[in-house]
Amino acid sequence: MATILAILLLFHIFHSCFHHQIASGNPIITGNSREALEIIIGAGGYSPSPPPPPEYQDCPPPPPPACGFESPRLAQVHPIIQAFKENIKHDPYHVTDTWEGNDICNKYKGFLCDTFPNSTDKTVSGVKFNGFNFGGKTLTLDGFLDKLPDIAFFHANSNNFIGTIPQKVANLKYLYELDLSNNKFTGNFPTELLSATQLTILDLRYNQLSGYVPPEIFKLDLDLFFINNNNLVQCLPENLGSTPVLYLTLANNKFTGPIPKSIGQASGTLVEVLLLNNQLTGCLPYEIGLLQKATVFDVGQNQLTGPIPHSFGCLAKMEFLNLAQNMFYGPVPEAVCELPNLVNFTVSYNYFTQVGPVCRELIKKKQLDVRMNCILDLPMQRSAAECAAFFSKPKYCADAWSFNLMPCEKYGRSNSSERKLTAKATPRRSYAALIPH
């Protein structure tokens, strides 16, 4: 009975205090106090005091962006670079020694940065691995090149990359220059590049690519297209002239068939074209004479035949013209020898039979090479028997009627001294592509 009275008395005292606190505007049922109240009501036990508030501490500084990287975009590509580094087992110039830490833009040799469009973020915009001679048994570009989302140019000539060109490279929407020359890429021509419509430079020379080049590649809006020194086997596509390129080098492959007439469609763009050392056949089309901007035309070391079309006399800007080591015949047109900018004209190792006075002037100046032809009164010619054997076989060219057409006014000269002569030939970009560098 005494216990019951004690509990009632305690409840009456608490109830009075509770209403007093509410009335005074100081509620007490908050947080841990609510738990203490429940303990008191249920069992009348002890409620521990709340812990003292922690001492004041300065807030830590905010973390640097992207864990120490200059931007989140750089943080994104850092593990990609490091994974690629693991596959490089041959690094004679110790380039990868600089690929340490977070400062990609300033310390990583071979990587270049720029500001991402419409933002302030720095990103890897370019790669220049030219001449680094990287090597490794599993050194491919898969998982590296195609994982650099903001890359604008990738130059990696003269290394030892193997495998095939990454299929997803066409997804790189900012990539406009791709130079993978002088490596060890194999397989068929990378058709996925047909979707890389933003490319302006495509250099795949000096690899081991084989098979078929899709005609659609000549519709890409390229300025430069070099695929020389591979193992490409096919007829030159009929739409060859659809290309807007300035510099076209298909040399040292196994292209066959005639030069398409469509080449004349490139009259306003094509500057240099190298088709030498293939297996081309047939006669030269009249339409070549329409290439009004061409400075270099080289079809040496093929199996071409027929006379030189007179339309070649319209190639006013031509500087280097190489027809050597074919089966051409007939006279060398004087109109070609009169071209105002011609520096080097080679027709050696053919079956030409006649040269006029203007051409003989170029021979004396060593600007025209006519060795090993059938020109009877000049030295270093083929034997009479060899020439007779050649001409004893029937000759045929389609559209022979076009060989005497001149689609322009003749570029003659009243005085031979007026002709532009250059002591040293200007180095040409396409010929430099014939050197593996």
Side-chain angles (χ1 to χ4, degrees):
M1 186 69 177
T3 302
I4 295 174
L5 291 175
I7 293 175
L8 291 175
L9 178 61
L10 179 61
F11 179 80
H12 175 74
I13 295 171
F14 177 81
H15 188 265
S16 299
C17 292
F18 177 79
H19 280 281
H20 174 73
Q21 291 291 338
I22 295 294
S24 64
N26 297 317
I28 60 173
I29 308 177
T30 59
N32 293 332
S33 298
R34 182 182 181 92
E35 297 175 2
L37 175 61
E38 291 174 347
I39 293 172
I40 293 172
I41 294 175
Y46 170 74
S47 175
S49 301
E55 295 182 2
Y56 176 80
Q57 294 180 352
D58 289 333
C59 293
C67 300
F69 292 93
E70 195 171 351
S71 77
R73 307 193 81 87
L74 293 173
Q76 177 184 354
V77 300
H78 179 262
I80 305 300
I81 296 173
Q82 296 303 318
F84 174 68
K85 176 181 177 180
E86 292 298 316
N87 289 328
I88 300 175
K89 305 303 181 183
H90 180 71
D91 179 13
Y93 303 109
H94 304 286
V95 172
T96 57
D97 290 350
T98 67
W99 298 0
E100 298 287 347
N102 298 340
D103 194 358
I104 297 174
C105 295
N106 297 310
K107 293 184 178 179
Y108 281 40
K109 187 176 180 180
F111 292 90
L112 293 90
C113 296
D114 205 340
T115 303
F116 186 73
N118 302 318
S119 77
T120 59
D121 285 351
K122 282 292 188 69
T123 188
V124 172
S125 61
V127 167
K128 284 189 176 182
F129 291 168
N130 293 347
F132 285 174
N133 200 22
F134 286 153
K137 291 183 178 180
T138 60
L139 188 59
T140 71
L141 291 181
D142 286 301
F144 177 60
L145 169 58
D146 50 324
K147 296 294 185 180
L148 300 177
D150 307 326
I151 200 78
F153 59 90
F154 191 91
H155 297 172
N157 70 56
S158 301
N159 285 282
N160 297 285
F161 293 115
I162 62 173
T164 58
I165 295 170
Q167 294 185 356
K168 295 181 180 179
V169 69
N171 297 336
L172 301 173
K173 61 181 180 179
Y174 302 106
L175 183 65
Y176 67 92
E177 290 186 10
L178 181 61
D179 179 1
L180 302 178
S181 60
N182 197 25
N183 279 283
K184 297 178 180 178
F185 291 107
T186 57
N188 294 328
F189 185 89
T191 56
E192 45 277 348
L193 291 176
L194 297 177
S195 301
T197 55
Q198 72 286 355
L199 278 178
T200 60
I201 292 178
L202 179 57
D203 189 349
L204 303 177
R205 60 197 166 91
Y206 281 97
N207 279 288
Q208 300 169 29
L209 301 176
S210 59
Y212 177 75
V213 179
E216 292 81 6
I217 200 72
F218 294 100
K219 296 180 181 180
L220 290 183
D221 193 15
L222 297 171
D223 293 333
L224 181 151
F225 183 36
F226 290 167
I227 54 173
N228 54 283
N229 294 85
N230 279 282
N231 192 32
L232 301 168
V233 183
Q234 71 181 87
C235 287
L236 287 179
E238 287 295 328
N239 70 333
L240 178 68
S242 300
T243 181
V245 301
L246 308 179
Y247 306 95
L248 177 64
T249 303
L250 310 181
N252 302 322
N253 281 288
K254 296 179 182 178
F255 287 106
T256 61
I259 299 173
K261 295 180 180 181
S262 68
I263 194 171
Q265 298 173 14
S267 60
T269 53
L270 196 56
V271 176
E272 301 180 14
V273 53
L274 301 187
L275 303 175
L276 70 153
N277 194 25
N278 279 286
Q279 299 173 8
L280 301 179
T281 57
C283 302
L284 296 173
Y286 151 89
E287 287 79 5
I288 294 173
L290 303 176
L291 300 177
Q292 58 186 359
K293 292 190 175 182
T295 61
V296 174
F297 185 79
D298 193 332
V299 292
Q301 296 174 262
N302 280 285
Q303 301 168 27
L304 296 164
T305 189
I308 301 176
H310 285 197
S311 64
F312 275 46
C314 296
L315 300 171
K317 295 186 177 181
M318 186 61 61
E319 298 177 16
F320 295 81
L321 180 57
N322 182 18
L323 308 179
Q325 299 186 53
N326 281 282
M327 294 182 289
F328 295 122
Y329 55 85
V332 178
E334 286 281 87
V336 178
C337 292
E338 291 175 344
L339 290 172
N341 293 293
L342 196 60
V343 172
N344 190 300
F345 182 21
T346 304
V347 297
S348 60
Y349 291 87
N350 281 287
Y351 295 89
F352 290 106
T353 56
Q354 184 180 347
V355 288
V358 177
C359 292
R360 289 175 183 266
E361 181 182 330
L362 296 187
I363 294 172
K364 292 178 182 178
K365 295 177 179 179
K366 300 186 183 302
Q367 292 179 272
L368 171 58
D369 185 357
V370 295
R371 290 172 300 136
M372 300 306 292
N373 278 280
C374 298
I375 306 170
L376 297 179
D377 62 332
L378 291 180
M380 300 182 67
Q381 300 296 301
R382 296 182 184 273
S383 67
E386 191 175 1
C387 292
F390 174 80
F391 286 106
S392 67
K393 299 176 183 178
K395 307 289 184 294
Y396 171 78
C397 283
D399 301 324
W401 58 269
S402 67
F403 289 154
N404 292 325
L405 296 180
M406 288 284 289
C408 64
E409 294 183 5
K410 186 179 178 181
Y411 292 98
R413 63 182 190 276
S414 58
N415 189 318
S416 61
S417 63
E418 295 177 3
R419 188 172 178 277
K420 179 182 177 181
L421 298 177
T422 306
K424 292 185 178 180
T426 305
R428 310 312 302 175
R429 188 169 189 176
S430 296
Y431 278 123
L434 300 180
I435 303 171
H437 59 77

